[in-house]
Amino acid sequence: MESKREHLVQFIPAKKSIKIPHGYNLMQAIKDCGVRIESPCGGVGTCGRCLVRIKEGKVSTKKTEFISAEEKKKGYVFSCLSRVESDLVVETFSESEVSAKIEKGIFTEMDSKEYSDINRSEISSVEIDPWIKKAAITVEEPSLSYGTSDLFRLKKSIRQNLGIKDCLVPVDIIREIPEILRKKNLEVSVTVDSREEKLIDIKAGKAAGKSYGLALDIGTTSLVLYLADLGSGEIIASESEYNPQISFGEDVINRIVYAGRKDGLEKLREVVLDSINGMIYKLIFNSRIKADRIVSMMIAGNSTMMHLFYGVSPKYIREEPYVTTANKFPDSSAEVLGIKRIKKARIYEIQGVASYLGGDITAGVLATDMYKKKELALFIDLGTNGELVVGNSEWMMGASCSAGPAFEGGGVKCGIRAVDGAIEKVAIDRNSYRCSIEVIGGEKPGGICGSGLIDVIGEMYLKGVIDRKGKFNKDIGNKFLKRDGDIYRYILVDGGSTVDGKDIYITEVDIDNLIRAKAAVYAGIKTLLEEVGLGINDIEKIYIAGGLGKHIYIRNAIVIGMFPDIDNKKYFFLGNTSVTGAYLSLLSKSKYEQSSKIAEKITYIELSVSMNFMDRYVAGLFLPYTDMKDFPSVEKISGKPDEDAKNSF
Amino acid sequence: MESKREHLVQFIPAKKSIKIPHGYNLMQAIKDCGVRIESPCGGVGTCGRCLVRIKEGKVSTKKTEFISAEEKKKGYVFSCLSRVESDLVVETFSESEVSAKIEKGIFTEMDSKEYSDINRSEISSVEIDPWIKKAAITVEEPSLSYGTSDLFRLKKSIRQNLGIKDCLVPVDIIREIPEILRKKNLEVSVTVDSREEKLIDIKAGKAAGKSYGLALDIGTTSLVLYLADLGSGEIIASESEYNPQISFGEDVINRIVYAGRKDGLEKLREVVLDSINGMIYKLIFNSRIKADRIVSMMIAGNSTMMHLFYGVSPKYIREEPYVTTANKFPDSSAEVLGIKRIKKARIYEIQGVASYLGGDITAGVLATDMYKKKELALFIDLGTNGELVVGNSEWMMGASCSAGPAFEGGGVKCGIRAVDGAIEKVAIDRNSYRCSIEVIGGEKPGGICGSGLIDVIGEMYLKGVIDRKGKFNKDIGNKFLKRDGDIYRYILVDGGSTVDGKDIYITEVDIDNLIRAKAAVYAGIKTLLEEVGLGINDIEKIYIAGGLGKHIYIRNAIVIGMFPDIDNKKYFFLGNTSVTGAYLSLLSKSKYEQSSKIAEKITYIELSVSMNFMDRYVAGLFLPYTDMKDFPSVEKISGKPDEDAKNSF
């Protein structure tokens, strides 16, 4: 019987092992074996000190908010919560190793990329003046001749110290006032929402202390969360995770479909809330900040993500005439929205423009300076969708170009997201047609991500592997082109060198999908410009944002006809501008107000019904474009030996 | 054994009877006996159709919210919930009789007194314009070229129809919007809070229907609740009950003491909430109005009552320097405050002035016209406490004169509240010293209430039974004056004529308590006037409010030196002005705003620390007053045969 089986558990680096019965507690096994392990919480899964990593074998482990799905996939478990279910190889850590993991937030092994690409100039110039303020104040003494209420005197003091004329104090706080005022002789620390002119929290004594805020980007694919000091603006810590809604649909359309099922909306809301709550908990845990010091959270996301987060059906986003229920949801308390641990915090949302141009794009524009300057700028956010804004301080137009998920690996046989093992850069040898690759994380490749795909298409075109229509040239003696029935596969990496022993290749169907995606982006840019009588050459600056954007080799994006063929120096990479814009709005009242002004200023163009867009799109189904005049620098080198291409990286 | 006994149950008017075992279900007995009775709810106590009245005998009956303690005292029970415990005489009702009782709200047998004494001129002049408005509106159609959000178009329509510039729509309502808008082709009925500029409710279709509001007076002794049509202003129904907090303390001071005990505050809040919830349920049930059509409730009460209702400790009201925590609690939702069934309704409070001059007094002044006119008026509210406001449209001063509970029967041996069986009027024969009485309800007397006590003191003084100090004249041959040890009792009603067979009498200690109470009222009036250099004769109008006020025979109140000795024609009786003021504020935004202006205008004088007050108080410990010049009309008749007194009623 299963329960009578025994398993061999080996511990590294200790090089000790022990035989224990099936279902035995892993921490107990470690102790039995004489390996040193800490458990100050007494084995209830709250201290995190008994962290181990399962290198081989299987355990059943109780869920804990400390460990994300991603970390679990990497084998991290709390030994106290785990039962042995097979032979195991278990890596244990010294006390200092665990401390390092806990203190540096290594649980998620988040790299520093996320916030290194914040637009530093915008951030350094922001005046720190958040909606939520903390202050230590002294309330006037009552007297027989001045017998006004506690509330009146408290409000007076708030008015004098924080300039809020008539601060609303909710009943639940009023209930605490009599004792709090008198506890430390009328000295109190108040937390005030200057946007709603409302008292959020009050404590006895003058130790106002620091207050913190969160900036959250809810992307279709990823969630990114910053914890910031609202006094200094410093980002204390950050977290990023996949949006768990992915398992219910890769893109917004599939999410909307799922939300329409019975309990679908609630399910989608629940899973993303769980992730966000988990991320908040980790930030609190890792940063050792008291939860009640986090007083606000600013959220940006596309319209569908925001509908799902607020529990509102996104159904009509997908039905003509494509309207949202709201482009901006009202300020709410964390508690009302199901955000735990920081229940009293205020939750703000960055206003969106339209169904397919959400608050993430507004936040993106806020993170640039395009809304302040006269020069004509183009903002491109390449995530699961592709969104565009063109304009300057006078006017702005925006559109979603429905690029589809090709650049995130969707609709491409060997396409994967930009995770460890993804091919992110590709070059092709002009003579042998052999690919050179760079892999994220430097391990064996398991697939190819967006930036790699752009490189592949660009390189294949420049080296003659495919023609302008994206069809394989079968007469060039390309020995990496293999036939499987009617389908040709261009082998990028032989199975002998991949993580799962299978070839990584590309087909004409894949190429077709990618060409359609790039055609949509470029057609969107052209259409927007032409709406106001401008052309590609009028663009003075191009901002590239989004998870994909930051890894793109710009030259190849031009070669395939996705990005405008203008001077490289006009391109600027900003990374995740959605979270940056949210972060700026978190720190500054005026930035937040600016974001709504931006959203209201952007004129939305629905490309899916634009004949002009359709014409440009069809023209874009060639490499780089039907009319080569649009891509003069590509025309020069097409089909010829090309120095640029040789020096791809 | 008890359980084997049999009982005889007789039914009137059917003149049928049946013998059934102890503990038998009463409804079953009715059916067994062949008397027709309805039970559409199946005998679970929710339809009210099996209402009967126990005329004799005892039943044990399950509690139900439909039947108040007062009704139960009158014998009303639901037969389905009752078990027979003795021989019975039971009155049954025809179906139409029960219907009438249910429809007219006869369950409580509330007389029309409560709202007949509303100051009709104030009410007829009020412009009906409540904060909460309902409207049927049509929302603009979205189109591809006009792709704004549902929320934007809804807000626009609210702006155009109701003049609310930027109506806040909370997240929980936004969640319903997509379907509600589309259900009846963009036609919706909205309920909007124009005070907070917030959408409270939205329904599909144009059937906006009526909306209703509640006006509530939370008195120390009684709760009075009106249900009003917010369109016409009509009072649809009303309820009144004792404040159940009475069992934890008769007056505010005892309540404050109780609130200071462990869980005391929560207990006091709970019991009053239970009563209010029960009253609301009865109004809904009796009026057949849907609970969600009740959109607002306006509350007035003294400061301690309001602290307890809002769950705020009243502790510091009792400690020098006597400050409230708040003189006005913030607008809240019913749900937050624990009000059931009308959870979405907004709850407003009438602003108070000080610890001992609450929103009930502000409401009272609002129910008069004194704040609008130049003539000098005096407002007296005689409830469990005595509160005064003197002034005109230019200035107002107010005070609480700590009359104590004597006029509510407290501190007086045979004193009771003004309930059925209370002696409310008394006259004494000059020769025989025999009392003539009038009893509330016309039944046998069980005690004497406030207005009766004023009559007794006045009559005893005028007929020579007591002297100016309130001591019995023992040498006048008064055979109703009986000695019991050291204590003399003046017998008002012999035990042979009372409900419990015991004498109803009055002692010198009782008289002393009453003299102290009346002295406090008059001293308060004198002190307030003198603060601004005025005297009794400057008063042009006197408003008498409060539960006690309406039954007082004014002549005797002057005789004992409680009320100023001025022309009877200057006195006006207004009844419960607290609920009237709340009702006016419920109907009219401007009245509600006026109430806060009144509260802020009244200068509060703390009499308990005023030397002037103490002097006037001591001077008032004589009948009618130390200096008879204050009471010229009383001086004229003191100790002489008096026509006025003979014609007492």
Side-chain angles (χ1 to χ4, degrees), chain B residues 271-315:
Chain B
V271 297
V272 78
L273 265 178
D274 280 354
S275 278
I276 293 166
N277 279 320
M279 290 165 82
I280 292 173
Y281 192 47
K282 274 189 272 181
L283 283 183
I284 293 170
F285 182 81
N286 292 336
S287 63
R288 297 281 185 264
I289 283 170
K290 276 194 182 168
D292 65 0
R293 293 203 169 276
I294 298 177
V295 294
S296 56
M297 176 156 75
M298 183 69 66
I299 308 183
N302 67 51
S303 300
T304 301
M305 289 307 108
M306 296 320 297
H307 278 63
L308 296 176
F309 175 78
Y310 282 93
V312 177
S313 166
K315 182 176 170 190

Side-chain angles (χ1 to χ4, degrees), chain A residues 597-646:
Chain A
K597 284 183 203 149
I598 289 171
E600 276 150 27
K601 188 181 249 177
I602 297 174
T603 305
Y604 177 72
I605 307 290
E606 178 58 50
L607 294 180
S608 69
V609 295
S610 159
M611 284 312 297
N612 200 5
F613 173 76
M614 279 312 294
D615 291 346
R616 306 287 161 272
Y617 173 72
V618 172
L621 297 178
F622 286 80
L623 290 172
Y625 199 67
T626 303
D627 186 354
M628 282 295 251
K629 275 182 215 131
D630 260 50
F631 290 83
S633 81
V634 182
E635 187 177 23
K636 262 199 297 186
I637 56 171
S638 285
K640 296 169 222 161
D642 169 43
E643 291 310 303
D644 272 4
K646 270 187 192 157

Side-chain angles (χ1 to χ4, degrees), chain A residues 36-47:
Chain A
R36 189 189 166 87
I37 192 150
E38 300 282 318
S39 62
C41 77
V44 296
T46 58
C47 73

Side-chain angles (χ1 to χ4, degrees), chain A residues 142-144 146-153 168-171 174-175 177-179 182 269 309-313 315-316 320-332 336-337 353-354 606 609, chain B residues 142-144 146-153 168-171 174-175 177-179 182 269 309-313 315-316 320-332 336-337 353-354 606 609:
Chain A
S143 74
L144 269 174
Y146 175 57
T148 57
S149 68
D150 290 347
L151 184 60
F152 180 88
R153 287 175 291 113
L168 176 71
V169 182
V171 170
I174 292 179
R175 288 178 184 150
I177 285 181
E179 296 314 321
R182 287 163 181 87
R269 177 162 172 262
F309 174 77
Y310 282 94
V312 177
S313 166
K315 182 176 171 189
Y316 299 99
E320 220 186 290
Y322 315 116
V323 294
T324 59
T325 293
N327 289 326
K328 171 161 176 22
F329 291 94
D331 305 349
S332 305
V336 161
L337 297 178
V353 179
E606 178 58 50
V609 295
Chain B
S143 75
L144 270 172
Y146 176 55
T148 55
S149 67
D150 290 347
L151 183 61
F152 180 87
R153 288 175 291 113
L168 176 69
V169 182
V171 170
I174 292 179
R175 287 176 185 152
I177 284 182
E179 297 312 322
R182 287 162 182 87
R269 177 161 172 262
F309 175 78
Y310 282 93
V312 177
S313 166
K315 182 176 170 190
Y316 299 100
E320 218 185 294
Y322 315 115
V323 294
T324 59
T325 293
N327 288 326
K328 173 165 173 18
F329 291 94
D331 304 350
S332 305
V336 161
L337 297 178
V353 179
E606 179 57 51
V609 295

Side-chain angles (χ1 to χ4, degrees), chain B residues 202-216:
Chain B
I202 182 168
K203 298 222 179 316
K206 284 230 162 181
K210 287 188 176 187
S211 57
Y212 300 88
L214 299 166
L216 173 64

